[in-house]
Amino acid sequence: MLTSKEIKRQEAIFELSQGEEDLIEDLKLAKKAYHDPMLKLSIMTEQELNQIFGTLDSLIPLHEDLLSQLRDVRKPDGSTEHVGPILVDWLPCLSSYDSYCSNQVAAKALLDHKKQDHRVQDFLQRCLESPFSRKLDLWNFLDIPRSRLVKYPLLLREILRHTPNDNPDQQHLEEAINIIQGIVAEINTKTGESECRYYKERLLYLEEGQKDSLIDSSRVLCCHGELKNNRGVKLHVFLFQEVLVITRAVTHNEQLCYQLYRQPIPVKDLLLEDLQDGEVRLGGSLRGAFSNNERIKNFFRVSFKNGSQSQTHSLQANDTFNKQQWLNCIRQAKETVVCAAGQAGVLDSEGSFLDPATESREPQGETKLEQMDQSDSESDCSMDTSEVSLDCERMEQTDSSCGNSRHVESNV
Protein backbone atom coordinates (compact mmCIF):
# COMPACT_ATOMS: atom_id res chain seq x y z
CA MET A 1 0.00 0.00 0.00
CA LEU A 2 1.36 3.43 -1.01
CA THR A 3 0.60 6.71 0.71
CA SER A 4 -1.03 9.48 -1.33
CA LYS A 5 2.29 11.37 -1.34
CA GLU A 6 4.17 8.33 -2.64
CA ILE A 7 1.55 7.78 -5.33
CA LYS A 8 2.13 11.32 -6.58
CA ARG A 9 5.88 10.72 -6.50
CA GLN A 10 5.49 7.57 -8.59
CA GLU A 11 3.26 9.45 -11.04
CA ALA A 12 5.91 12.16 -11.45
CA ILE A 13 8.63 9.53 -12.08
CA PHE A 14 6.37 7.80 -14.60
CA GLU A 15 5.76 11.12 -16.38
CA LEU A 16 9.53 11.57 -16.72
CA SER A 17 9.92 8.07 -18.15
CA GLN A 18 6.93 8.34 -20.48
CA GLY A 19 8.16 11.71 -21.75
CA GLU A 20 11.47 10.12 -22.76
CA GLU A 21 9.65 7.40 -24.66
CA ASP A 22 7.46 9.94 -26.51
CA LEU A 23 10.48 12.10 -27.34
CA ILE A 24 12.40 9.17 -28.83
CA GLU A 25 9.41 8.20 -31.00
CA ASP A 26 9.01 11.76 -32.28
CA LEU A 27 12.72 12.15 -33.11
CA LYS A 28 12.71 8.86 -35.00
CA LEU A 29 9.54 9.92 -36.80
CA ALA A 30 11.12 13.21 -37.89
CA LYS A 31 13.98 11.28 -39.49
CA LYS A 32 11.89 8.51 -41.02
CA ALA A 33 8.93 10.55 -42.30
CA TYR A 34 10.65 13.83 -43.24
CA HIS A 35 14.44 13.64 -43.57
CA ASP A 36 14.84 10.31 -45.40
CA PRO A 37 11.98 10.73 -47.94
CA MET A 38 13.04 14.28 -48.86
CA LEU A 39 16.59 13.09 -49.39
CA LYS A 40 15.51 10.06 -51.43
CA LEU A 41 13.13 12.10 -53.62
CA SER A 42 15.71 14.89 -54.02
CA ILE A 43 13.23 17.43 -52.64
CA MET A 44 16.16 18.98 -50.76
CA THR A 45 19.87 18.46 -51.02
CA GLU A 46 21.75 16.52 -48.35
CA GLN A 47 23.51 19.73 -47.30
CA GLU A 48 20.21 21.57 -46.84
CA LEU A 49 18.75 18.70 -44.82
CA ASN A 50 21.86 18.55 -42.63
CA GLN A 51 21.45 22.27 -41.91
CA ILE A 52 17.75 21.94 -41.04
CA PHE A 53 17.97 18.75 -38.96
CA GLY A 54 21.31 19.58 -37.35
CA THR A 55 22.56 17.00 -34.84
CA LEU A 56 19.12 15.51 -34.22
CA ASP A 57 20.36 11.95 -34.89
CA SER A 58 22.87 12.18 -32.05
CA LEU A 59 20.15 13.05 -29.52
CA ILE A 60 18.23 9.79 -29.95
CA PRO A 61 20.85 7.49 -28.28
CA LEU A 62 21.13 9.92 -25.34
CA HIS A 63 17.47 9.61 -24.45
CA GLU A 64 17.36 5.88 -25.20
CA ASP A 65 20.10 5.48 -22.57
CA LEU A 66 18.07 7.33 -19.89
CA LEU A 67 14.88 5.44 -20.75
CA SER A 68 16.74 2.12 -20.50
CA GLN A 69 18.14 2.99 -17.07
CA LEU A 70 14.73 4.11 -15.77
CA ARG A 71 13.16 0.86 -16.92
CA ASP A 72 15.93 -1.22 -15.32
CA VAL A 73 15.26 0.21 -11.85
CA ARG A 74 11.49 -0.20 -12.14
CA LYS A 75 10.16 -2.91 -9.82
CA PRO A 76 7.79 -5.68 -10.96
CA ASP A 77 4.86 -3.79 -9.40
CA GLY A 78 5.69 -0.76 -11.58
CA SER A 79 7.08 1.46 -8.83
CA THR A 80 10.56 3.03 -8.78
CA GLU A 81 12.48 3.52 -5.56
CA HIS A 82 15.39 5.79 -6.57
CA VAL A 83 16.01 7.92 -9.69
CA GLY A 84 18.34 10.59 -8.27
CA PRO A 85 21.69 8.81 -8.83
CA ILE A 86 20.72 7.94 -12.41
CA LEU A 87 19.86 11.57 -13.19
CA VAL A 88 23.01 12.96 -11.58
CA ASP A 89 25.14 10.69 -13.79
CA TRP A 90 23.09 11.16 -16.99
CA LEU A 91 22.21 14.88 -17.08
CA PRO A 92 25.73 16.14 -17.96
CA CYS A 93 25.27 14.40 -21.34
CA LEU A 94 22.75 17.10 -22.25
CA SER A 95 25.59 19.58 -22.73
CA SER A 96 25.72 18.22 -26.29
CA TYR A 97 22.42 20.03 -26.87
CA ASP A 98 24.27 23.33 -27.30
CA SER A 99 25.18 22.63 -30.95
CA TYR A 100 21.61 21.54 -31.79
CA CYS A 101 19.96 24.54 -30.13
CA SER A 102 22.50 27.03 -31.50
CA ASN A 103 21.72 25.79 -35.02
CA GLN A 104 17.97 26.29 -34.72
CA VAL A 105 17.87 29.92 -35.85
CA ALA A 106 19.64 29.16 -39.12
CA ALA A 107 17.63 25.93 -39.51
CA LYS A 108 14.31 27.73 -39.12
CA ALA A 109 15.30 30.45 -41.59
CA LEU A 110 16.37 27.91 -44.21
CA LEU A 111 13.22 25.83 -43.74
CA ASP A 112 11.02 28.91 -44.17
CA HIS A 113 12.94 29.84 -47.31
CA LYS A 114 12.64 26.33 -48.77
CA LYS A 115 8.87 26.37 -48.22
CA GLN A 116 8.69 28.79 -51.14
CA ASP A 117 9.68 25.83 -53.33
CA HIS A 118 6.49 24.19 -54.61
CA ARG A 119 7.82 20.63 -54.17
CA VAL A 120 8.85 21.26 -50.57
CA GLN A 121 5.58 22.95 -49.70
CA ASP A 122 3.54 20.16 -51.32
CA PHE A 123 5.48 17.45 -49.45
CA LEU A 124 5.16 19.18 -46.08
CA GLN A 125 1.45 19.81 -46.64
CA ARG A 126 0.84 16.13 -47.42
CA CYS A 127 2.69 15.17 -44.23
CA LEU A 128 0.65 17.65 -42.22
CA GLU A 129 -2.57 16.10 -43.50
CA SER A 130 -1.39 12.56 -42.69
CA PRO A 131 -2.43 10.95 -39.37
CA PHE A 132 1.17 10.34 -38.23
CA SER A 133 1.87 14.09 -37.94
CA ARG A 134 -0.88 14.69 -35.35
CA LYS A 135 -1.40 18.00 -37.25
CA LEU A 136 2.12 19.12 -36.28
CA ASP A 137 4.35 20.61 -38.96
CA LEU A 138 8.01 19.71 -39.42
CA TRP A 139 9.26 22.57 -37.26
CA ASN A 140 7.15 21.38 -34.32
CA PHE A 141 9.04 18.07 -34.45
CA LEU A 142 12.42 19.78 -34.79
CA ASP A 143 11.66 22.01 -31.78
CA ILE A 144 10.66 19.11 -29.50
CA PRO A 145 14.21 18.56 -28.12
CA ARG A 146 14.51 22.21 -27.01
CA SER A 147 11.07 22.05 -25.41
CA ARG A 148 12.04 18.88 -23.58
CA LEU A 149 15.30 20.39 -22.36
CA VAL A 150 13.65 23.34 -20.63
CA LYS A 151 11.04 21.04 -19.09
CA TYR A 152 13.53 18.90 -17.13
CA PRO A 153 13.84 21.33 -14.17
CA LEU A 154 10.04 21.31 -13.78
CA LEU A 155 9.83 17.52 -13.94
CA LEU A 156 12.59 17.04 -11.38
CA ARG A 157 11.13 19.62 -9.01
CA GLU A 158 7.81 17.77 -9.16
CA ILE A 159 9.50 14.52 -8.17
CA LEU A 160 11.41 16.29 -5.40
CA ARG A 161 8.23 17.94 -4.11
CA HIS A 162 6.72 14.52 -3.36
CA THR A 163 9.94 12.97 -2.02
CA PRO A 164 10.08 12.66 1.82
CA ASN A 165 12.92 14.44 3.62
CA ASP A 166 14.35 11.16 4.93
CA ASN A 167 14.48 9.62 1.45
CA PRO A 168 18.08 9.30 0.15
CA ASP A 169 16.79 10.40 -3.26
CA GLN A 170 16.17 13.94 -2.01
CA GLN A 171 19.84 15.00 -1.95
CA HIS A 172 20.50 13.49 -5.37
CA LEU A 173 17.42 15.20 -6.86
CA GLU A 174 18.54 18.57 -5.53
CA GLU A 175 21.96 18.00 -7.11
CA ALA A 176 20.32 16.93 -10.37
CA ILE A 177 18.21 20.12 -10.45
CA ASN A 178 21.32 22.26 -9.99
CA ILE A 179 23.04 20.39 -12.82
CA ILE A 180 20.19 20.82 -15.32
CA GLN A 181 19.66 24.47 -14.41
CA GLY A 182 23.33 25.15 -15.12
CA ILE A 183 23.17 23.30 -18.44
CA VAL A 184 20.00 25.13 -19.55
CA ALA A 185 21.50 28.51 -18.60
CA GLU A 186 24.70 27.76 -20.52
CA ILE A 187 22.80 26.57 -23.60
CA ASN A 188 20.53 29.63 -23.44
CA THR A 189 23.59 31.87 -23.44
CA LYS A 190 25.21 30.10 -26.39
CA THR A 191 21.93 29.98 -28.31
CA GLY A 192 21.38 33.70 -27.72
CA GLU A 193 24.87 34.52 -28.94
CA SER A 194 24.36 32.33 -32.01
CA GLU A 195 21.06 34.03 -32.83
CA CYS A 196 22.63 37.45 -32.39
CA ARG A 197 25.49 36.58 -34.77
CA TYR A 198 23.06 35.15 -37.33
CA TYR A 199 21.01 38.34 -37.62
CA LYS A 200 24.03 40.66 -37.46
CA GLU A 201 25.46 38.84 -40.48
CA ARG A 202 22.23 39.47 -42.41
CA LEU A 203 22.01 43.21 -41.87
CA LEU A 204 22.41 45.19 -45.09
CA TYR A 205 23.74 48.75 -44.86
CA LEU A 206 22.78 51.30 -47.51
CA GLU A 207 25.70 53.52 -46.53
CA GLU A 208 28.79 53.39 -44.34
CA GLY A 209 27.29 55.91 -41.93
CA GLN A 210 24.68 53.34 -40.83
CA LYS A 211 27.31 50.99 -39.44
CA ASP A 212 27.52 51.25 -35.67
CA SER A 213 30.09 49.81 -33.25
CA LEU A 214 27.23 49.08 -30.81
CA ILE A 215 25.89 46.53 -33.30
CA ASP A 216 29.30 44.92 -33.81
CA SER A 217 29.89 44.59 -30.06
CA SER A 218 26.42 43.13 -29.32
CA ARG A 219 26.38 39.53 -28.13
CA VAL A 220 22.72 39.37 -27.16
CA LEU A 221 19.55 40.05 -29.14
CA CYS A 222 16.96 41.03 -26.53
CA CYS A 223 14.00 40.72 -28.89
CA HIS A 224 13.03 41.21 -32.51
CA GLY A 225 9.95 41.03 -34.68
CA GLU A 226 7.74 42.61 -37.30
CA LEU A 227 6.09 45.95 -36.54
CA LYS A 228 4.34 48.53 -38.75
CA ASN A 229 4.85 52.27 -38.82
CA ASN A 230 1.99 54.77 -38.93
CA ARG A 231 1.86 54.51 -42.74
CA GLY A 232 1.39 50.74 -42.65
CA VAL A 233 4.93 49.91 -43.82
CA LYS A 234 6.15 46.57 -42.47
CA LEU A 235 9.41 46.91 -40.55
CA HIS A 236 11.55 44.30 -38.82
CA VAL A 237 12.90 45.74 -35.58
CA PHE A 238 15.89 44.37 -33.65
CA LEU A 239 16.62 45.33 -30.05
CA PHE A 240 20.25 44.50 -29.30
CA GLN A 241 21.87 45.11 -25.90
CA GLU A 242 22.68 48.76 -26.53
CA VAL A 243 21.10 49.68 -29.86
CA LEU A 244 17.70 49.56 -31.60
CA VAL A 245 17.90 48.75 -35.31
CA ILE A 246 14.91 49.29 -37.61
CA THR A 247 15.04 47.39 -40.90
CA ARG A 248 13.01 46.18 -43.85
CA ALA A 249 13.02 42.48 -44.76
CA VAL A 250 14.40 41.98 -48.29
CA THR A 251 15.64 39.07 -50.38
CA HIS A 252 19.33 39.25 -51.26
CA ASN A 253 21.14 36.44 -53.11
CA GLU A 254 18.14 34.18 -52.43
CA GLN A 255 18.51 34.80 -48.69
CA LEU A 256 16.24 36.73 -46.38
CA CYS A 257 18.17 39.78 -45.19
CA TYR A 258 17.38 43.01 -43.36
CA GLN A 259 18.05 46.38 -44.94
CA LEU A 260 18.59 49.18 -42.44
CA TYR A 261 15.85 51.79 -42.33
CA ARG A 262 17.55 55.03 -41.27
CA GLN A 263 20.21 55.14 -38.54
CA PRO A 264 20.56 52.74 -35.58
CA ILE A 265 19.31 54.29 -32.32
CA PRO A 266 21.48 53.96 -29.17
CA VAL A 267 19.39 52.57 -26.32
CA LYS A 268 20.85 55.07 -23.83
CA ASP A 269 19.53 58.00 -25.92
CA LEU A 270 16.24 56.38 -26.90
CA LEU A 271 12.97 57.89 -25.64
CA LEU A 272 9.99 55.56 -25.34
CA GLU A 273 6.35 56.61 -25.28
CA ASP A 274 3.35 54.34 -24.75
CA LEU A 275 0.58 55.66 -27.02
CA GLN A 276 -3.09 55.30 -26.19
CA ASP A 277 -5.34 53.66 -28.79
CA GLY A 278 -6.53 56.29 -31.25
CA GLU A 279 -3.77 58.74 -30.37
CA VAL A 280 -1.51 58.18 -33.37
CA ARG A 281 -2.02 59.93 -36.69
CA LEU A 282 -2.16 57.57 -39.63
CA GLY A 283 -0.19 58.55 -42.69
CA GLY A 284 0.79 61.86 -41.15
CA SER A 285 -2.79 63.13 -41.16
CA LEU A 286 -5.77 63.30 -38.81
CA ARG A 287 -7.46 60.50 -40.74
CA GLY A 288 -8.89 58.09 -38.20
CA ALA A 289 -7.26 59.88 -35.28
CA PHE A 290 -10.47 59.89 -33.24
CA SER A 291 -11.92 56.55 -34.30
CA ASN A 292 -11.30 53.39 -32.33
CA ASN A 293 -10.58 50.83 -35.04
CA GLU A 294 -7.87 48.18 -35.39
CA ARG A 295 -5.68 50.44 -37.54
CA ILE A 296 -4.81 52.77 -34.69
CA LYS A 297 -4.45 50.30 -31.82
CA ASN A 298 -1.30 48.99 -30.09
CA PHE A 299 1.07 51.81 -31.07
CA PHE A 300 4.14 52.99 -29.20
CA ARG A 301 6.70 55.62 -30.15
CA VAL A 302 10.49 55.58 -30.09
CA SER A 303 12.44 58.78 -30.67
CA PHE A 304 16.05 59.89 -30.64
CA LYS A 305 17.70 63.31 -30.76
CA ASN A 306 21.40 64.01 -30.66
CA GLY A 307 22.50 67.40 -31.97
CA SER A 308 21.32 67.74 -35.54
CA GLN A 309 20.31 64.07 -35.73
CA SER A 310 16.77 63.14 -34.78
CA GLN A 311 14.38 60.28 -35.48
CA THR A 312 10.86 59.41 -34.45
CA HIS A 313 8.97 56.23 -35.27
CA SER A 314 5.39 55.35 -34.30
CA LEU A 315 5.34 51.55 -34.31
CA GLN A 316 2.34 49.24 -34.21
CA ALA A 317 2.44 45.77 -32.63
CA ASN A 318 0.18 42.88 -33.61
CA ASP A 319 -1.79 42.96 -30.36
CA THR A 320 -1.78 44.31 -26.83
CA PHE A 321 0.37 41.49 -25.47
CA ASN A 322 2.94 41.93 -28.24
CA LYS A 323 3.07 45.68 -27.59
CA GLN A 324 3.58 45.18 -23.84
CA GLN A 325 6.44 42.77 -24.48
CA TRP A 326 8.18 45.36 -26.65
CA LEU A 327 7.70 48.05 -24.00
CA ASN A 328 9.06 45.79 -21.27
CA CYS A 329 12.10 44.76 -23.30
CA ILE A 330 13.00 48.32 -24.27
CA ARG A 331 12.60 49.59 -20.70
CA GLN A 332 14.71 46.72 -19.37
CA ALA A 333 17.43 47.32 -21.96
CA LYS A 334 17.50 51.04 -21.17
CA GLU A 335 17.65 50.44 -17.43
CA THR A 336 20.51 47.96 -17.91
CA VAL A 337 22.48 50.45 -20.01
CA VAL A 338 21.87 53.28 -17.53
CA CYS A 339 22.96 51.12 -14.58
CA ALA A 340 26.02 49.84 -16.45
CA ALA A 341 27.06 53.43 -17.11
CA GLY A 342 26.89 54.11 -13.37
CA GLN A 343 24.39 56.95 -13.72
CA ALA A 344 22.40 57.99 -10.67
CA GLY A 345 18.67 58.35 -11.00
CA VAL A 346 15.77 56.22 -12.14
CA LEU A 347 13.73 55.58 -15.26
CA ASP A 348 10.12 56.62 -15.50
CA SER A 349 7.39 54.35 -16.91
CA GLU A 350 8.23 55.45 -20.44
CA GLY A 351 11.93 54.62 -20.20
CA SER A 352 13.01 58.25 -19.87
CA PHE A 353 15.73 59.27 -17.44
CA LEU A 354 14.59 61.13 -14.31
CA ASP A 355 16.79 63.45 -12.28
CA PRO A 356 17.00 61.96 -8.77
CA ALA A 357 16.64 65.35 -7.08
CA THR A 358 13.58 66.64 -8.92
CA GLU A 359 12.27 63.43 -10.54
CA SER A 360 11.64 65.50 -13.65
CA ARG A 361 12.40 64.29 -17.14
CA GLU A 362 15.56 65.60 -18.75
CA PRO A 363 14.81 68.43 -21.18
CA GLN A 364 16.78 66.82 -24.01
CA GLY A 365 14.08 64.15 -24.28
CA GLU A 366 11.27 66.63 -24.96
CA THR A 367 10.02 66.52 -28.52
CA LYS A 368 6.87 68.16 -29.84
CA LEU A 369 4.17 65.87 -31.17
CA GLU A 370 4.07 67.87 -34.38
CA GLN A 371 7.77 67.17 -34.95
CA MET A 372 7.23 63.49 -34.22
CA ASP A 373 4.44 63.12 -36.74
CA GLN A 374 6.41 65.08 -39.32
CA SER A 375 9.40 62.79 -38.75
CA ASP A 376 7.17 59.73 -39.21
CA SER A 377 5.91 61.08 -42.52
CA GLU A 378 9.39 61.93 -43.77
CA SER A 379 10.93 58.53 -42.97
CA ASP A 380 10.41 57.14 -46.44
CA CYS A 381 13.19 55.33 -48.26
CA SER A 382 13.32 53.80 -51.73
CA MET A 383 14.03 50.26 -50.55
CA ASP A 384 12.78 46.87 -51.68
CA THR A 385 10.12 45.56 -49.35
CA SER A 386 9.66 41.89 -48.55
CA GLU A 387 6.28 40.54 -47.51
CA VAL A 388 7.88 37.64 -45.69
CA SER A 389 6.49 37.26 -42.18
CA LEU A 390 8.80 35.60 -39.69
CA ASP A 391 7.87 33.40 -36.75
CA CYS A 392 10.09 34.87 -34.06
CA GLU A 393 11.54 32.49 -31.56
CA ARG A 394 11.11 32.54 -27.91
CA MET A 395 14.16 34.14 -26.35
CA GLU A 396 15.30 33.88 -22.85
CA GLN A 397 18.11 36.03 -21.52
CA THR A 398 19.22 36.51 -17.94
CA ASP A 399 20.75 39.94 -17.34
CA SER A 400 22.54 41.10 -14.21
CA SER A 401 21.96 44.81 -13.73
CA CYS A 402 22.75 46.99 -10.68
CA GLY A 403 23.44 43.89 -8.60
CA ASN A 404 19.99 42.44 -9.15
CA SER A 405 19.41 39.32 -11.19
CA ARG A 406 16.67 40.00 -13.70
CA HIS A 407 15.07 37.47 -16.01
CA VAL A 408 13.76 38.82 -19.30
CA GLU A 409 11.66 36.50 -21.36
CA SER A 410 10.27 37.63 -24.68
CA ASN A 411 8.24 35.89 -27.28
CA VAL A 412 7.83 38.62 -29.81
Side-chain angles (χ1 to χ4, degrees):
M1 296 295 294
L2 300 176
T3 64
S4 59
K5 188 178 183 68
E6 183 58 30
I7 290 174
K8 290 181 179 180
R9 171 178 153 83
Q10 292 301 321
E11 288 175 347
I13 294 174
F14 179 78
E15 183 181 356
L16 172 66
S17 178
Q18 187 62 42
E20 292 299 302
E21 188 172 343
D22 294 341
L23 172 65
I24 293 166
E25 289 181 3
D26 284 339
L27 296 184
K28 289 182 176 179
L29 178 64
K31 178 173 172 55
K32 182 179 179 181
Y34 290 94
H35 179 281
D36 294 349
M38 284 194 287
L39 179 61
K40 186 176 181 180
L41 298 172
S42 299
I43 294 176
M44 288 194 206
T45 66
E46 185 173 2
Q47 183 180 0
E48 289 170 337
L49 289 170
N50 288 341
Q51 176 71 71
I52 291 173
F53 283 80
T55 57
L56 181 138
D57 271 356
S58 67
L59 304 181
I60 297 175
L62 287 179
H63 295 280
E64 286 179 332
D65 178 40
L66 176 60
L67 180 60
S68 175
Q69 293 188 59
L70 291 175
R71 285 174 172 172
D72 288 344
V73 296
R74 187 179 297 166
K75 294 180 179 179
D77 63 359
S79 65
T80 301
E81 191 170 354
H82 302 301
V83 294
I86 293 174
L87 293 169
V88 169
D89 290 338
W90 179 82
L91 285 172
C93 300
L94 293 179
S95 297
S96 60
Y97 259 70
D98 60 358
S99 58
Y100 183 81
C101 293
S102 296
N103 177 64
Q104 281 198 298
V105 177
K108 182 69 164 60
L110 178 57
L111 179 60
D112 288 341
H113 176 69
K114 294 300 296 183
K115 284 181 180 178
Q116 299 175 37
D117 185 321
H118 174 72
R119 293 188 67 202
V120 175
Q121 182 60 40
D122 181 64
F123 177 85
L124 295 179
Q125 184 61 35
R126 289 175 183 272
C127 290
L128 187 63
E129 294 170 357
S130 300
F132 72 81
S133 72
R134 309 194 303 276
K135 295 186 178 181
L136 300 175
D137 62 19
L138 173 56
W139 184 252
N140 289 130
F141 285 101
L142 295 177
D143 196 45
I144 285 174
R146 184 201 58 81
S147 301
R148 180 66 177 176
L149 181 68
V150 299
K151 193 176 180 182
Y152 279 120
L154 302 176
L155 291 170
L156 301 192
R157 285 195 195 99
E158 185 65 13
I159 298 174
L160 178 62
R161 190 162 71 92
H162 300 295
T163 300
N165 294 332
D166 58 351
N167 191 315
D169 230 15
Q170 187 184 54
Q171 183 177 350
H172 289 108
L173 286 170
E174 290 175 349
E175 184 180 353
I177 290 172
N178 289 332
I179 292 173
I180 188 59
Q181 284 179 332
I183 292 174
V184 170
E186 180 68 18
I187 291 176
N188 276 341
T189 300
K190 291 183 178 179
T191 303
E193 292 175 354
S194 174
E195 181 184 35
C196 186
R197 282 194 306 271
Y198 176 85
Y199 285 112
K200 286 198 303 183
E201 291 169 357
R202 279 152 184 79
L203 294 178
L204 297 179
Y205 301 91
L206 291 177
E207 56 186 42
E208 283 295 317
Q210 288 181 324
K211 294 185 176 180
D212 195 310
S213 61
L214 293 177
I215 298 177
D216 295 335
S217 62
S218 294
R219 297 181 61 192
V220 174
L221 179 59
C222 301
C223 63
H224 69 102
E226 187 181 89
L227 299 169
K228 293 180 182 178
N229 67 9
N230 65 332
R231 290 180 293 108
V233 177
K234 291 181 180 179
L235 303 170
H236 200 96
V237 182
F238 297 91
L239 177 62
F240 294 97
Q241 287 167 291
E242 298 185 55
V243 62
L244 184 79
V245 182
I246 301 176
T247 71
R248 277 174 158 170
V250 298
T251 301
H252 179 69
N253 293 333
E254 296 187 355
Q255 279 192 337
L256 182 63
C257 296
Y258 303 91
Q259 200 172 56
L260 262 71
Y261 183 86
R262 305 184 70 179
Q263 300 296 120
I265 301 176
V267 169
K268 67 181 180 64
D269 299 321
L270 181 150
L271 292 176
L272 175 66
E273 186 178 0
D274 184 359
L275 301 177
Q276 299 299 315
D277 291 344
E279 184 176 344
V280 72
R281 298 180 183 180
L282 296 178
S285 70
L286 290 174
R287 173 164 46 95
F290 299 103
S291 61
N292 190 25
N293 56 41
E294 293 299 322
R295 296 183 61 197
I296 52 178
K297 286 184 176 181
N298 306 315
F299 272 93
F300 62 93
R301 180 177 285 136
V302 293
S303 56
F304 161 68
K305 186 174 183 180
N306 186 5
S308 60
Q309 293 186 357
S310 65
Q311 287 186 58
T312 300
H313 303 274
S314 294
L315 302 172
Q316 184 181 31
N318 294 331
D319 50 44
T320 305
F321 177 76
N322 184 222
K323 171 186 172 180
Q324 193 58 50
Q325 291 234 314
W326 273 104
L327 294 176
N328 291 343
C329 283
I330 294 173
R331 287 167 182 157
Q332 174 67 28
K334 189 166 179 67
E335 184 175 347
T336 301
V337 170
V338 169
C339 292
Q343 298 182 29
V346 295
L347 297 175
D348 69 3
S349 61
E350 296 177 357
S352 301
F353 190 69
L354 296 180
D355 183 271
T358 63
E359 290 196 356
S360 61
R361 192 177 302 178
E362 288 186 342
Q364 67 177 17
E366 296 178 358
T367 309
K368 295 182 179 179
L369 287 176
E370 290 81 359
Q371 293 173 333
M372 291 180 175
D373 291 319
Q374 181 181 4
S375 176
D376 278 329
S377 300
E378 292 173 352
S379 61
D380 191 12
C381 303
S382 56
M383 304 181 190
D384 294 329
T385 305
S386 169
E387 296 298 324
V388 179
S389 176
L390 296 180
D391 295 325
C392 299
E393 306 303 319
R394 179 177 179 271
M395 296 290 302
E396 293 183 355
Q397 175 62 39
T398 303
D399 291 330
S400 296
S401 59
C402 297
N404 293 328
S405 176
R406 297 178 178 273
H407 186 67
V408 182
E409 181 177 300
S410 59
N411 187 10
V412 181

